[in-house]
Amino acid sequence: MNDYIPQEIEPKWQAKWEADGLYHADIDESRPKHYALTMLPYPSGDLHIGHWYAMTPSDARARYKRMNGFNVMFPIGFDSFGLPAENAAISRGIHPKKWTYANIENMRKQLRSMGAMWDWRREAVSSNPQYYKWSEWFFIQLYKHGLAYRKMSPVDFCPHCNTTLAREQVWGEDRHCERCETPVIKKDLEQWFFRTTRYADELLNYEGMDWPERVKVLQTNWIGRSEGAEVRFSVISDQSSALPAPVPPWPGRQDRQAQVSEVEGSLITVFTTRPDTLWGATFMVLSPEHPLVEKITTPDHKVEVEAYKTQAARQTDIEREAVDKEKTGVFTGGYAVNPVNGEKIPIWIADYVLMTYGTGAIMAVPAHDERDFAFAIRYGLPIIPVIDRPDGISKSLVFPGSVAPGFADLLQTANIEFYAAPVGSLGDGLFVTLRREQVDGYAALMRQHLQPGNWNEIVGAHWLFIFDDGIMELDGVSSDQAILARCKAIYPPVNHNRTVMEMVNSLPFYRDVLFHADYGAMINSGEFSGTPGETAKRRVTQWLKAKGVGDFAVNYKLRDWLISRQRYWGAPIPMINCQKCGWNPVPEEQLPVLLPDDVAWKPTGESPLKLHPTWKQAQCPVCGGAAERETDTMDTFMCSSWYHLRYLSPHYDKAPFDPAEYNYWMPVDTYTGGIEHATMHLIYTRFFHKALRDMGVTEGAEPMIQLHNQGMVLGEDHEKMSKSRGNVVAPDKLVARYGADAVRAYLMFFARWDMGAPWNSTGIDGTVRWLRRVWTLVSERSGPGTCSPESRRNLRRKVHQSLRRVTRDFETFEFNTIVSALMELLNTMYAAREAGAVGTPEWDEATDIYLRMLAPVCPHIAEELWAHIGKPYSIHTQPWPQVDEAAAQEDEITIPIQVNGKLRDRIVVPADTEDEQVKSAALASQAVQKYLAGKPPRQVIYVKGRLVNVVA
RNA sequence: GCCGGAGUGGCGGAACUGGCAGACGCGCACGACUCAAAAUCGUGUUCCUUCGGGAGUGUGGGUUCGAUUCCCACCUUCGGCACCA
């Protein structure tokens, strides 16, 4: 037989498989179906090694499933709308359509070189009108079912280019436009949203889904459900000292996302997870974008507020939310009334409050929230503890000379924990830590021994200020100022402090007891003081509800899905705006709304749909008058939320998919793709499916039963592959040099699939060598057949053990060990050949099983060798071999012997040896005897078939 | 910063449910074949060692007869953070 030349055999078999329609997937009720789906690629121009890494193992597993009797559908297509096409248009003057379809043509060719079992008849291309007609249709259905709506939302905007910018188009610390380097601004636009939040609770349910735990956790955190309360604060004027007007009745539950715009008049609604801390709310913070900011801000604060809003708008949400960032904000001049105690509290704005979470406003409880604490310390706002410390710890620093001599001895006698250490340059002070039950005794002792003209404070679980004429307790805003005034009178260096907390926070000894975010009994909370932590939230919320100032509320981090893109290359949003009739969908019989081809590209990237002279002119579907089309297009995540449905029947023109195909193939049995899609795409597609289900379009709770994610292939320099870094690995070159089979095998072998790894160009020689060895071995068909029955049995054992491993690893997506097992078995077969096994029935069986196991991994060489040994075409329609458990059974086992957990010896015993016999054989070992040194063992542990541990 | 992963020889990785750490491969060294080279085949390859043994799975602790595996803290690194897809 000739040498192994993959460049000859691979195109040959690919052409034959194609001509024979070997991979056509058609409905066949007699067989169980398997829908294997790999994530829709974007046609960026060149197939990336990352595509191969993602798709080859998916293909191998689809093939394995097919050999296991399943009718497998493994489709492919292109997610072909999106930003890069427009970038090419702007920078190189190529029409996005032309650029996209040229790329698709190239990638089809490249994809075919993989030898994957795609059914190309089912190819779906999201930028084809016959595809995006249905994307538009879905938009209209969602709109008709109340799941699409418009609201104002900010975008990053380049004022010079007059364009909305994607996050990746904003560069640098100063956030400038990638094209013209102008600093970006935020611009508020009316945009379309889908109500994903309506499905938030259902999306948290993963019942019956075989998805990786990490993805479920990521999604759960992304959805970010939290239970708490909404509370309404009324705004009052600076001058107002009279009691505030009563808060109007609670309007009842409304749609979550609509809430924000419904904040009006003089009411601020906040969401809080800690209604039990309401008595400690000493100020409010609005997001700088909050609609009430303008109304509340007093004339003398206008300049500062406007300046702050501008700087906040230039940051990303990530920067704004960062916990370690310095907290900044400005006072608006406005005040609100804390509904629980009538306290007048100032209203600030700060960038750490985001308009996209909750109601865009918070009540700040600095004693029990880390960020609020930092903010209050910085701006001198009062901090009043309202939740008891569960640990009951208080601290007190006794200043040098503030107590009568001998105080330390008294503490010792009272069993109070303390140490003496210098306080600045004042001499030694006493640093006291108190348990709850010691506070009263300590306070009494201090009252007796405090020298005139001093005070002492107890802070933490208790807040007592002991003066020579009595004790004051920090229990509210007024006592805060009263205590501070006394302290300033006694010790002028504290004059600059604005609050008691600021004063005590300057002593590092106190810092760990000043603030906590735990649950505990309520304190300083009027009639609620003493309410235990377990019931506090519920009882306070019930009371708020009864008073009409609040209610139970659930909030989510998940936001509604922003669909609008101010771009050309996307599916048009099929809506028409009429001055008389408002927004209405394009009548379904007029779909698709086609993208115009004759568009002009301004070098700035301004949307050509807006600039097109006639495209946006339309007739109102209601009154028939002149109206305007929506010129925004859809987010490409819309296209990729339903592509698995278009694959069912890409040419069907009566509906997005053929119901007969749906009924047979759906749901997707195995979905594979990158872990980077764990939240956005995989939440959107689940939302989409559930929304369609509720409209009667789809069935079942979930679109994808099983999910497996691959990791990423980095460049050889351990950096993300990119053209600019010059570290991109081109699969075409590798295929030309080594053949597709070797590249496929190497990609499965070189890393753990679910983790990914940096590319390693040196290892591929090993897989090439391996395939050549397979070739050589199978080529040789006649031999002496002279080897011993024992070595023939050993060969069979190894074959069936390998089959067991390979089968298991295919089920669990552990592709690297599949290839290892095949390499190992080949080594055994080489040894068997040396022993004269060629020509025996065991050898023939080994060859047969070997090629079947190889077929999903390296389909071309397996097919070639299968033909060579005279087996019927095609190996890919052969059944998967069955493990002969009896043959795989070991006769003898080696048991490692440990003494005190360290390996000291090994014994070989028949596999069926009784436990007691194994133990006594282990104890009889010379090595064990040596370590026992004549003493009896304390314990002998035998883990059946695994190991013996002798405890001396 | 927040959420989720990952850290094992010179390198990629293996180790099933807490039970022999380093399978398989790359690289390297030596040998065979060859005039020679490539290819191929064979042997060896965690580190230290006084050759008895000792240490060792990012770091530090803990649980256990026994920990790469479980628990706590930390370090490094990768993915995502809502207009890249």
Side-chain angles (χ1 to χ4, degrees):
Chain A
M1 197 172 173
N2 301 329
D3 288 346
Y4 171 49
I5 303 168
Q7 293 75 6
E8 282 174 12
I9 62 170
E10 289 178 357
K12 178 183 80 185
W13 287 115
Q14 283 169 16
K16 179 157 172 63
W17 296 331
E18 180 74 37
D20 295 346
L22 191 67
Y23 302 128
H24 286 179
D26 294 307
I27 294 174
D28 176 358
E29 296 290 352
S30 71
R31 282 190 292 160
K33 65 93 184 180
H34 181 85
Y35 187 170
L37 182 67
T38 181
M39 284 182 187
L40 187 66
Y42 178 80
S44 54
D46 261 311
L47 205 61
H48 191 269
I49 197 73
H51 290 118
W52 274 72
Y53 185 72
M55 294 169 174
T56 305
S58 303
D59 173 59
R61 194 165 183 285
R63 291 171 175 280
Y64 162 82
K65 279 286 175 188
R66 175 179 169 143
M67 292 175 82
N68 275 277
F70 289 92
N71 183 21
V72 175
M73 171 159 81
F74 188 52
I76 188 73
F78 297 95
D79 187 14
S80 47
F81 275 135
L83 198 55
E86 288 193 47
N87 287 338
I90 296 158
S91 63
R92 288 185 274 153
I94 310 168
H95 194 284
K97 193 181 203 171
K98 197 178 159 196
W99 183 86
T100 302
Y101 284 87
N103 286 349
I104 289 175
E105 200 41 57
N106 187 41
M107 284 178 75
R108 279 188 189 125
K109 215 165 52 210
Q110 294 176 309
L111 284 166
R112 281 173 195 274
S113 77
M114 288 171 63
M117 60 175 286
W118 284 308
D119 182 353
W120 285 94
R121 299 173 311 165
R122 293 181 176 274
E123 185 200 54
V125 177
S126 68
S127 57
N128 282 352
Q130 57 175 349
Y131 188 108
Y132 73 75
K133 169 182 179 178
W134 299 107
S135 298
E136 294 173 6
W137 184 83
F138 280 125
F139 183 98
I140 292 170
Q141 306 315 308
L142 289 162
Y143 176 79
K144 285 182 173 170
H145 287 81
L147 291 168
Y149 68 99
R150 276 169 81 77
K151 75 169 178 190
M152 292 298 279
S153 180
V155 294
D156 283 326
F157 193 82
C158 174
H160 179 256
C161 298
N162 207 22
T163 313
T164 303
L165 298 179
R167 215 180 77 176
E168 64 164 17
Q169 295 178 303
V170 178
W171 286 13
E173 286 271 295
D174 65 334
R175 299 184 33 77
H176 62 259
C177 170
E178 67 169 352
R179 272 195 279 274
C180 66
E181 302 193 357
T182 309
V184 302
I185 57 166
K186 283 272 193 327
K187 188 172 171 183
D188 257 333
L189 298 176
E190 279 271 324
Q191 307 197 68
W192 290 99
F193 285 81
F194 287 156
R195 288 191 204 279
T196 40
T197 47
R198 192 169 279 182
Y199 287 85
D201 271 322
E202 203 194 332
L203 288 167
L204 287 168
N205 180 4
Y206 306 99
E207 211 179 299
M209 291 166 74
D210 178 12
W211 280 32
E213 205 53 40
R214 61 171 163 162
V215 174
K216 292 193 254 181
V217 172
L218 277 164
Q219 293 206 346
T220 299
N221 293 340
W222 180 271
I223 294 165
R225 184 181 202 274
S226 53
E227 289 183 15
E230 273 177 358
V231 188
R232 291 187 301 154
F233 289 67
S234 48
V235 179
I236 52 171
S237 78
D238 190 11
Q239 278 71 37
S240 171
S241 53
L243 278 177
V247 171
W250 185 253
R253 299 289 303 130
Q254 304 146 10
D255 204 274
R256 302 261 351 120
Q257 292 288 324
Q259 197 97 75
V260 166
S261 54
E262 283 162 27
V263 174
E264 53 189 29
S266 57
L267 283 179
I268 300 173
T269 304
V270 303
F271 172 79
T272 175
T273 56
R274 294 298 302 269
D276 54 327
T277 63
L278 200 39
W279 280 259
T282 50
F283 59 102
M284 297 191 78
V285 185
L286 304 189
S287 162
E289 296 82 11
H290 196 287
L292 274 181
V293 170
E294 212 191 321
K295 215 172 196 174
I296 290 168
T297 304
T298 54
D300 48 329
H301 290 89
K302 206 114 218 157
V303 175
E304 272 180 280
V305 165
E306 285 307 315
Y308 191 80
K309 282 174 75 167
T310 308
Q311 75 86 21
R314 302 217 53 248
Q315 296 176 54
T316 65
D317 283 5
I318 295 172
E319 288 162 3
R320 286 175 53 168
E321 275 186 298
V323 171
D324 66 339
K325 189 189 74 132
E326 185 78 9
K327 300 293 169 294
T328 63
V330 295
F331 180 42
T332 60
Y335 289 88
V337 175
N338 186 332
V340 298
N341 55 12
E343 299 269 4
K344 181 174 148 187
I345 60 174
I347 304 170
W348 288 61
I349 60 170
D351 56 14
Y352 74 91
V353 177
L354 301 180
M355 203 54 221
T356 47
Y357 182 74
T359 61
I362 62 162
M363 62 178 213
V365 184
H368 303 290
D369 179 278
E370 193 185 345
R371 289 173 307 177
D372 297 346
F373 184 84
F375 192 84
I377 288 288
R378 177 173 175 139
Y379 294 107
L381 296 158
I383 302 173
I384 309 300
V386 292
I387 301 292
D388 193 16
R389 286 186 71 82
D391 64 7
I393 297 295
S394 299
K395 287 186 168 184
S396 179
L397 202 172
V398 183
F399 266 67
S402 67
V403 287
F407 191 72
D409 299 336
L410 294 168
L411 292 181
Q412 204 121 46
T413 314
N415 226 352
I416 287 169
E417 181 192 335
F418 72 98
Y419 61 88
V423 179
S425 54
L426 303 172
D428 271 8
L430 304 176
F431 291 76
V432 180
T433 302
L434 298 163
R435 298 195 304 274
R436 192 186 300 286
E437 66 275 14
Q438 295 174 321
V439 170
D440 286 347
Y442 174 82
L445 211 58
M446 180 57 76
R447 280 223 59 188
Q448 281 170 24
H449 295 88
L450 188 70
Q451 299 294 81
N454 286 284
W455 87 84
N456 177 260
E457 69 272 341
I458 297 169
V459 303
H462 293 258
W463 289 84
L464 300 176
F465 288 74
I466 302 159
F467 299 96
D468 48 18
D469 59 348
I471 298 179
M472 295 176 80
E473 185 172 1
L474 176 68
D475 59 3
V477 177
S478 49
S479 63
D480 184 45
Q481 287 308 310
I483 292 167
L484 192 63
R486 294 272 333 240
C487 296
K488 287 179 177 178
I490 293 170
Y491 187 61
V494 301
N495 272 341
H496 66 279
N497 286 306
R498 293 161 293 183
T499 61
V500 166
M501 194 64 82
E502 186 181 14
M503 181 177 75
V504 295
N505 187 58
S506 64
L507 298 168
F509 175 59
Y510 286 150
R511 290 215 179 122
D512 59 337
V513 294
L514 299 183
F515 143 87
H516 76 88
D518 300 325
Y519 285 95
M522 292 171 69
I523 55 173
N524 300 330
S525 300
E527 58 183 291
F528 278 89
S529 294
T531 308
E534 303 81 63
T535 57
K537 271 174 76 163
R538 200 185 69 237
R539 288 179 58 184
V540 171
T541 312
Q542 272 165 351
W543 181 78
L544 291 170
K545 192 175 176 181
K547 279 192 64 177
V549 292
D551 201 348
F552 291 93
V554 174
N555 194 51
Y556 302 92
K557 278 218 267 296
L558 180 73
R559 316 208 284 251
D560 278 346
W561 175 8
L562 171 61
I563 287 295
S564 301
R565 295 293 181 269
Q566 293 74 47
R567 307 201 186 278
Y568 165 74
W569 193 235
I573 293 175
M575 298 295 289
I576 293 173
N577 189 20
C578 169
Q579 293 224 313
K580 271 191 287 179
C581 313
W583 286 101
N584 279 290
V586 172
E588 286 177 27
E589 63 276 9
Q590 290 176 22
L591 298 183
V593 176
L594 289 169
L595 284 173
D597 285 335
D598 56 331
V599 287
W601 288 92
K602 277 196 167 182
T604 61
E606 197 168 351
S607 172
L609 287 185
K610 256 200 150 103
L611 302 173
H612 195 278
T614 56
W615 186 79
K616 63 184 167 196
Q617 294 168 11
Q619 200 181 30
C620 172
V622 178
C623 71
E628 277 202 0
R629 280 188 201 292
E630 171 63 84
T631 56
D632 284 355
T633 52
M634 293 185 219
D635 178 9
T636 54
F637 276 125
M638 173 82 179
C639 310
S640 57
S641 289
W642 71 280
Y643 72 101
H644 56 284
L645 298 175
R646 195 61 190 165
Y647 281 153
L648 297 170
S649 47
H651 308 292
Y652 196 68
D653 60 3
K654 296 183 192 66
F657 54 84
D658 180 342
E661 296 276 341
Y662 185 95
N663 291 336
Y664 181 75
W665 292 109
M666 281 295 285
V668 173
D669 294 279
T670 302
Y671 192 29
T672 54
I675 185 68
E676 67 273 18
H677 295 290
T679 47
M680 305 185 67
H681 163 62
L682 288 173
I683 284 182
Y684 292 143
T685 199
R686 290 180 66 211
F687 157 77
F688 210 85
H689 182 91
K690 289 172 190 297
L692 296 184
R693 174 206 59 198
D694 290 347
M695 298 173 199
V697 177
T698 58
E699 284 171 13
E702 293 289 338
M704 288 107 185
I705 301 297
Q706 185 187 44
L707 174 74
H708 271 265
N709 301 107
Q710 83 276 358
M712 282 182 69
V713 184
L714 301 176
E716 206 152 9
D717 54 1
H718 293 229
E719 299 278 341
K720 204 170 183 163
M721 275 191 205
S722 71
K723 278 182 190 153
S724 58
R725 285 199 181 87
N727 61 353
V728 175
V729 176
D732 286 7
K733 279 192 203 162
L734 295 172
V735 173
R737 184 160 169 199
Y738 302 106
D741 282 339
V743 176
R744 289 171 61 103
Y746 184 58
L747 285 167
M748 288 188 220
F749 178 66
F750 98 105
R752 240 181 86 165
W753 195 57
D754 57 344
M755 284 188 201
W759 178 252
N760 182 338
S761 61
T762 58
I764 193 164
D765 294 322
T767 39
V768 178
R769 218 170 279 163
W770 165 58
L771 289 179
R772 258 191 233 127
R773 277 160 57 85
V774 172
W775 183 271
T776 307
L777 196 72
V778 178
S779 303
E780 200 170 310
R781 299 182 58 202
S782 59
T786 55
C787 74
S788 69
E790 199 194 338
S791 52
R792 285 156 62 171
R793 197 169 64 241
N794 288 342
L795 175 62
R796 271 210 93 205
R797 180 180 303 119
K798 185 69 182 177
V799 167
H800 284 275
Q801 285 177 346
S802 302
L803 176 59
R804 192 159 61 191
R805 277 173 64 185
V806 169
T807 306
R808 188 194 65 204
D809 291 349
F810 262 120
E811 289 298 333
T812 55
F813 293 78
E814 290 171 82
F815 302 103
N816 54 341
T817 47
I818 289 173
V819 179
S820 309
L822 290 173
M823 288 174 168
E824 230 182 293
L825 176 57
L826 190 73
N827 291 343
T828 303
M829 288 176 71
Y830 263 79
R833 183 180 72 163
E834 290 305 304
V838 181
T840 64
E842 287 80 3
W843 182 261
D844 290 342
E845 185 200 20
T847 309
D848 178 278
I849 291 179
Y850 199 91
L851 291 179
R852 287 180 207 240
M853 291 195 291
L854 183 64
V857 179
C858 302
H860 311 89
I861 188 175
E863 187 80 284
E864 180 75 19
L865 292 174
W866 189 253
H868 175 73
I869 61 172
K871 304 265 183 168
Y873 174 82
S874 158
I875 191 168
H876 303 298
T877 55
Q878 298 298 316
W880 190 251
Q882 293 295 307
V883 177
D884 181 342
E885 290 293 345
Q889 197 71 39
E890 291 284 358
D891 300 337
E892 285 186 328
I893 49 173
T894 303
I895 305 284
I897 312 295
Q898 295 183 338
V899 179
N900 292 334
K902 292 201 182 217
L903 181 70
R904 297 301 179 191
D905 200 4
R906 286 191 175 85
I907 55 172
V908 178
V909 295
D912 54 0
T913 312
E914 297 289 326
D915 292 10
E916 286 310 313
Q917 281 175 285
V918 174
K919 284 190 192 181
S920 49
L923 285 173
S925 146
Q926 279 197 348
V928 172
Q929 286 302 320
K930 191 177 123 194
Y931 283 94
L932 283 176
K935 288 180 229 143
R938 284 202 289 166
Q939 205 184 342
V940 181
I941 296 157
Y942 175 49
V943 185
K944 196 154 184 65
R946 305 303 292 256
L947 136 160
V948 175
N949 188 14
V950 179
V951 185

